[in-house]
Amino acid sequence: MPELPEVETVRRALAGHLPGRSVLAVRAAAVRLRRPIRPDQLQKALIGGRFLEPNRHGKWLLLPVADRGTLAIHLGMSGRLRLWDDGTQAPPHTHLEVELDGGPVMALVDPRRFGAVAWLAPGAADDDPALSRLGPDALDPALPSLLPGELRRRRTSIKATLMDQRLVAGIGNIYANEALWRARIHPAAPAGSISRRRLQLLVDHVQAVLAEAIERGGTTLRDFAGVDGTAGMFRLELAVYGEEGEPCPRCGASIRRTVIAQRATYLCPRCQRR
DNA sequence: CCAGTATCCTGCAGGC
DNA sequence: TGCCTGCAGGATACTG
């Protein structure tokens, strides 16, 4: 589930624990994720290294280690990054545990295994097959001047286009639905058919909804949790996602569920227009 | 190149 | 209660 706000929630939490801490041990018996990585490679990279301020690009969490490189983590659909310091037993589906100086353990738990872990040597982000293809981060202040032009070139639905990480990184299914509702744009409308003015508005709504979700600690549907296990509260603010049959908060019409590009899509058939 | 489809994996909710 | 089906925050390797 984790989209930009959930990953940013995790990043902010880690920012209070990681910087300055060094790695005592790495347990990675079975990192069988979408991108397999050898445990001994992670151990060699991390043990003895010292974490710096955590970063993020789109849905990728970037954890730089001083003078060594960067541990890049993608949470996929069901990934959680947990932090504990009381000797807690690792829960099922734990793929990676990083034991830190002073006690805390950072663990990656991911039942569905759609997540990914990568080790980036200095400067290697440009060569990484996934990272190098990402568009600008969805919260990039320059986005409003970049994205509308890109969107106008695409013939696919505006919803699938918003979720294309090569164009803009960080928007997933929940926030694509919510931003389109706010902008009153029909998710199936071809991106290139929408006026520049409305696309401009859409980009503003994208950034606004992401920022508000971060304020609430993200959205928890089922799997997502912060590093301490707490749920994100933005679910309470969702206008359309998961609200099939409920009244549109703006006009009262019944929210409809459909499928676009294989993903559940929620819209108000009355106030969202092509 | 671009657009659309199929697939990876596990857990859970709902229907019968 | 128990089985079966469908569905879930994502990305990418295919096909046409």
Side-chain angles (χ1 to χ4, degrees), chain A residues 163-229:
Chain A
M163 293 172 64
D164 184 341
Q165 306 296 300
R166 294 170 300 185
L167 278 185
V168 51
I171 305 167
N173 202 29
I174 293 179
Y175 300 107
N177 277 295
E178 293 294 312
L180 287 163
W181 177 80
R182 290 184 178 208
R184 305 178 190 234
I185 295 172
H186 196 291
S193 72
I194 303 168
S195 73
R196 181 138 198 138
R197 197 187 116 62
R198 294 180 80 207
L199 289 175
Q200 203 72 57
L201 208 66
L202 174 60
V203 174
D204 292 342
H205 282 300
V206 163
Q207 294 197 317
V209 73
L210 294 175
E212 289 170 33
I214 291 169
E215 290 298 306
R216 292 275 191 281
T219 300
T220 295
L221 295 182
R222 42 168 34 124
D223 293 318
F224 176 72
V227 299
D228 58 357

Side-chain angles (χ1 to χ4, degrees), chain A residues 14-30:
Chain A
L14 291 179
H17 294 123
L18 281 192
R21 282 231 155 82
S22 55
V23 177
L24 299 182
V26 173
R27 288 182 289 280

Side-chain angles (χ1 to χ4, degrees), chain A residues 3 6 16 166 180 199-200 224 230 232-233 260 274:
Chain A
E3 304 180 34
E6 291 73 39
R166 294 170 300 185
L180 287 163
L199 289 175
Q200 203 72 57
F224 176 72
T230 53
M233 299 311 286
I260 292 175
R274 295 167 190 267

Side-chain angles (χ1 to χ4, degrees), chain A residues 102-115:
Chain A
V105 173
M106 179 176 71
L108 174 63
V109 184
D110 184 2
R112 290 179 70 185
R113 299 201 270 125
F114 287 173

